[in-house]
Amino acid sequence: MERRQIVTFEGSEMDEEQRDMKAHKTYYQRVDFISNSLHGISQLCPCGSITKEIVDEEDTYDYLRGKRYFICKDFENDGLHYRQPWVMGAQEEVERLKQKVLRHENLLRECEALKAYVKMLVKRVSELERLL
Protein backbone atom coordinates (compact mmCIF):
# COMPACT_ATOMS: atom_id res chain seq x y z
CA MET A 1 0.00 0.00 0.00
CA GLU A 2 2.74 2.41 0.79
CA ARG A 3 4.21 1.82 -2.60
CA ARG A 4 0.94 2.79 -4.30
CA GLN A 5 0.77 5.97 -2.29
CA ILE A 6 4.30 6.87 -3.36
CA VAL A 7 3.47 6.15 -7.03
CA THR A 8 0.32 8.24 -6.77
CA PHE A 9 2.28 11.02 -5.08
CA GLU A 10 4.93 10.93 -7.80
CA GLY A 11 2.20 10.89 -10.46
CA SER A 12 0.62 14.02 -9.03
CA GLU A 13 4.04 15.68 -8.98
CA MET A 14 4.42 14.77 -12.66
CA ASP A 15 1.00 16.22 -13.43
CA GLU A 16 1.88 19.40 -11.57
CA GLU A 17 5.21 19.62 -13.40
CA GLN A 18 3.51 19.14 -16.77
CA ARG A 19 0.96 21.87 -15.97
CA ASP A 20 3.83 24.11 -14.94
CA MET A 21 5.72 23.35 -18.17
CA LYS A 22 2.62 24.07 -20.28
CA ALA A 23 2.06 27.37 -18.47
CA HIS A 24 5.69 28.39 -19.08
CA LYS A 25 5.47 27.35 -22.73
CA THR A 26 2.28 29.38 -23.21
CA TYR A 27 3.89 32.40 -21.54
CA TYR A 28 7.01 32.21 -23.75
CA GLN A 29 4.86 31.80 -26.87
CA ARG A 30 2.98 34.98 -25.95
CA VAL A 31 6.21 36.89 -25.33
CA ASP A 32 7.56 35.63 -28.68
CA PHE A 33 4.37 36.71 -30.44
CA ILE A 34 4.52 40.17 -28.92
CA SER A 35 8.21 40.67 -29.70
CA ASN A 36 7.64 39.56 -33.31
CA SER A 37 4.52 41.68 -33.74
CA LEU A 38 6.09 44.94 -32.64
CA HIS A 39 6.65 46.72 -35.95
CA GLY A 40 5.93 50.34 -36.70
CA ILE A 41 3.63 52.43 -34.57
CA SER A 42 0.94 50.21 -33.10
CA GLN A 43 -2.40 51.61 -32.01
CA LEU A 44 -3.39 48.72 -29.75
CA CYS A 45 -1.45 46.50 -27.38
CA PRO A 46 -2.17 42.74 -27.47
CA CYS A 47 -3.81 43.15 -24.06
CA GLY A 48 -6.46 45.36 -25.71
CA SER A 49 -5.33 48.71 -24.28
CA ILE A 50 -4.37 51.64 -26.45
CA THR A 51 -0.74 52.69 -26.86
CA LYS A 52 0.31 56.23 -26.12
CA GLU A 53 3.44 58.32 -26.51
CA ILE A 54 5.31 59.18 -23.31
CA VAL A 55 8.61 60.83 -22.38
CA ASP A 56 10.72 59.13 -19.72
CA GLU A 57 12.35 62.07 -17.95
CA GLU A 58 14.82 59.87 -16.04
CA ASP A 59 16.31 58.42 -19.21
CA THR A 60 18.60 60.77 -21.13
CA TYR A 61 19.32 60.60 -24.84
CA ASP A 62 22.45 62.41 -26.04
CA TYR A 63 22.09 65.89 -24.60
CA LEU A 64 18.28 65.83 -24.43
CA ARG A 65 16.52 64.96 -21.21
CA GLY A 66 14.02 62.21 -21.54
CA LYS A 67 13.53 59.45 -24.03
CA ARG A 68 10.28 59.04 -25.97
CA TYR A 69 8.40 55.72 -26.07
CA PHE A 70 5.25 54.24 -27.51
CA ILE A 71 3.89 52.38 -24.52
CA CYS A 72 0.76 50.45 -23.52
CA LYS A 73 -1.60 52.41 -21.30
CA ASP A 74 -1.64 49.50 -18.82
CA PHE A 75 2.07 48.66 -19.12
CA GLU A 76 3.55 46.01 -16.83
CA ASN A 77 7.12 44.82 -17.31
CA ASP A 78 6.15 41.19 -17.93
CA GLY A 79 6.90 41.07 -21.66
CA LEU A 80 3.22 40.95 -22.60
CA HIS A 81 2.75 44.68 -23.29
CA TYR A 82 4.21 47.08 -25.85
CA ARG A 83 6.98 49.48 -24.89
CA GLN A 84 8.94 50.63 -27.89
CA PRO A 85 11.41 53.48 -28.30
CA TRP A 86 9.85 56.27 -30.36
CA VAL A 87 12.78 56.39 -32.80
CA MET A 88 12.48 52.68 -33.63
CA GLY A 89 8.71 52.88 -34.09
CA ALA A 90 8.95 55.95 -36.30
CA GLN A 91 11.76 54.43 -38.39
CA GLU A 92 9.85 51.17 -38.94
CA GLU A 93 6.71 53.13 -39.82
CA VAL A 94 8.64 55.17 -42.41
CA GLU A 95 10.07 51.97 -43.92
CA ARG A 96 6.59 50.45 -44.06
CA LEU A 97 5.22 53.55 -45.77
CA LYS A 98 8.11 53.55 -48.28
CA GLN A 99 7.24 49.98 -49.24
CA LYS A 100 3.58 50.94 -49.59
CA VAL A 101 4.44 53.90 -51.85
CA LEU A 102 6.67 51.65 -53.97
CA ARG A 103 3.81 49.16 -54.42
CA HIS A 104 1.46 51.99 -55.43
CA GLU A 105 4.01 53.33 -57.94
CA ASN A 106 4.27 49.87 -59.49
CA LEU A 107 0.48 49.65 -59.70
CA LEU A 108 0.33 53.05 -61.41
CA ARG A 109 2.91 51.91 -63.97
CA GLU A 110 0.88 48.78 -64.63
CA CYS A 111 -2.27 50.88 -65.01
CA GLU A 112 -0.56 53.11 -67.57
CA ALA A 113 0.53 50.05 -69.54
CA LEU A 114 -3.01 48.66 -69.38
CA LYS A 115 -4.47 51.99 -70.53
CA ALA A 116 -2.19 51.95 -73.57
CA TYR A 117 -3.20 48.35 -74.29
CA VAL A 118 -6.92 49.19 -73.98
CA LYS A 119 -6.50 52.17 -76.34
CA MET A 120 -4.81 49.89 -78.88
CA LEU A 121 -7.65 47.35 -78.56
CA VAL A 122 -10.31 50.05 -78.97
CA LYS A 123 -8.52 51.31 -82.07
CA ARG A 124 -8.43 47.77 -83.55
CA VAL A 125 -12.12 47.23 -82.78
CA SER A 126 -13.06 50.51 -84.46
CA GLU A 127 -10.99 49.54 -87.51
CA LEU A 128 -12.71 46.15 -87.67
CA GLU A 129 -16.13 47.81 -87.37
CA ARG A 130 -15.27 50.09 -90.31
CA LEU A 131 -14.35 47.06 -92.42
CA LEU A 132 -17.68 45.38 -91.73
Side-chain angles (χ1 to χ4, degrees):
M1 271 194 170
E2 290 180 9
R3 191 169 189 176
R4 284 186 180 173
Q5 289 176 349
I6 292 172
V7 170
T8 307
F9 183 71
E10 287 176 359
S12 67
E13 282 183 2
M14 286 291 275
D15 291 341
E16 185 177 332
E17 185 177 335
Q18 284 180 336
R19 282 192 300 270
D20 219 21
M21 294 272 293
K22 285 183 180 180
H24 284 293
K25 183 178 179 182
T26 302
Y27 172 76
Y28 288 123
Q29 285 174 340
R30 286 181 183 169
V31 170
D32 182 54
F33 163 74
I34 290 169
S35 66
N36 288 332
S37 69
L38 189 56
H39 296 288
I41 302 170
S42 58
Q43 300 297 316
L44 287 176
C45 182
C47 72
S49 295
I50 60 170
T51 56
K52 60 182 182 177
E53 186 179 331
I54 65 157
V55 177
D56 187 1
E57 295 293 332
E58 297 172 8
D59 197 357
T60 58
Y61 180 71
D62 289 337
Y63 60 91
L64 299 173
R65 283 201 58 178
K67 195 171 184 181
R68 298 170 91 180
Y69 291 96
F70 292 110
I71 190 167
C72 173
K73 184 182 74 154
D74 302 319
F75 179 76
E76 296 175 24
N77 195 13
D78 58 359
L80 300 175
H81 298 275
Y82 284 159
R83 181 176 190 257
Q84 182 183 32
W86 186 89
V87 173
M88 303 248 331
Q91 181 181 6
E92 289 174 355
E93 188 72 12
V94 167
E95 290 299 320
R96 187 184 66 79
L97 292 172
K98 281 182 183 178
Q99 294 296 321
K100 191 173 183 180
V101 166
L102 185 63
R103 284 193 307 269
H104 285 268
E105 285 176 350
N106 289 336
L107 283 173
L108 285 173
R109 282 190 207 108
E110 289 175 14
C111 286
E112 292 299 322
L114 288 173
K115 280 182 186 178
Y117 186 68
V118 167
K119 283 182 183 179
M120 188 264 308
L121 289 176
V122 168
K123 187 177 179 182
R124 285 175 121 184
V125 167
S126 64
E127 287 174 6
L128 287 172
E129 286 177 344
R130 271 190 260 151
L131 292 174
L132 294 175

